[in-house]
Amino acid sequence: MDSDSDLELAPETLRALQQVMREQQEQHERLEKLRLLAEKRFDEAQEEAVVDVESIKKEITIDFFREDWQLSQFWYDDATSESLAREILDNTDGDSIVCCISSPTVYVKLMSMDPPNTNNLFLLEYDSRFDVYGRQYIHYDYSKPREFPLSDELKESVDMIVVDPPFLSEECLTKTLQTVRHLLKKGGKAVLCTGVVMLEIAKKDGLGLTTFLPGHRNGLSNDFRCYVNYTSKQFPYKDLEAAAKAP
């Protein structure tokens, strides 16, 4: 028969577990502080809260949010998130409206890189943990492509979109691209990250395959690619046919 002592954790294991729990608690407290400040900022418009919120937002990293595989979350590696965020900064200015759709890694990186106007940067995302960004967070369910907060206000007014549909399926990509078409202004720029198997669907929306290969922190078995609907210096087209059709 096992004794109670047989069920006790080894000291090293216990210390490691306690460290993980402490880190999770600290992470929760930081995010909760930001959430409260964000609410204060938008609900009460207090100048003191504005300063605190902007300062904390710059310190947020994707490490604050653990991947939830049930939501099909696979965070980009640092080089990928920085490249995608830099692509946004290089193609927009303080007057541009930008949306990151189901791509929180890019959004978090972008918000930490001193963008010229954070009020015009929006994250459409299902995971409500990202509501720490206040009004800039928009709860989004791809199965309802046009039903989300600010849908009417942002219709055909977005200058640039970076999108990474959560599921590698025709249904998910097709509905997500409905959202892109709904939001993007005429001549607006779109960056799509998804599997190479989605090439034909992407092409129907004027998105051409590029040479850029997005990477993920914990690896991904799918052949993952990047598509754009414009001529990009950083993400050049992989084939000449797409380049010829680009504006």
Side-chain angles (χ1 to χ4, degrees), residues 7 23 27 45 68 71 73 82 90 92 96 99 115 119 121 138 143 146 179 188 190 204-206 214 220 226:
L7 300 177
E23 291 174 356
Q27 178 189 90
D68 186 340
L71 295 179
Q73 290 178 339
E82 184 163 349
D90 289 347
T92 59
S96 302
C99 286
N119 290 328
L121 308 180
I138 297 174
S143 67
R146 297 182 179 86
T179 304
K204 291 178 181 178
D205 267 68
L220 199 64
C226 175

Side-chain angles (χ1 to χ4, degrees), residues 164-176:
D164 183 347
F167 301 103
L168 193 61
S169 71
E170 180 176 345
E171 183 252 0
C172 181
L173 178 56
T174 300
K175 289 187 175 180
T176 301

Side-chain angles (χ1 to χ4, degrees), residues 104-162:
T105 327
V106 179
Y107 186 82
V108 171
K109 174 63 72 173
L110 178 64
M111 293 293 278
S112 73
M113 294 173 66
D114 289 322
N117 186 358
T118 58
N119 290 328
N120 286 348
L121 308 180
F122 297 91
L123 172 63
L124 279 69
E125 167 61 36
Y126 186 82
D127 188 347
S128 60
R129 289 179 298 172
F130 292 94
D131 66 0
V132 294
Y133 286 102
R135 178 179 175 273
Q136 272 64 51
Y137 166 78
I138 297 174
H139 185 263
Y140 171 74
D141 183 342
Y142 81 85
S143 67
K144 302 173 182 178
R146 297 182 179 86
E147 297 178 23
F148 51 86
L150 299 183
S151 174
D152 292 339
E153 291 86 343
L154 293 174
K155 181 180 179 181
E156 298 178 359
S157 66
V158 178
D159 296 275
M160 188 166 188
I161 291 175
V162 173

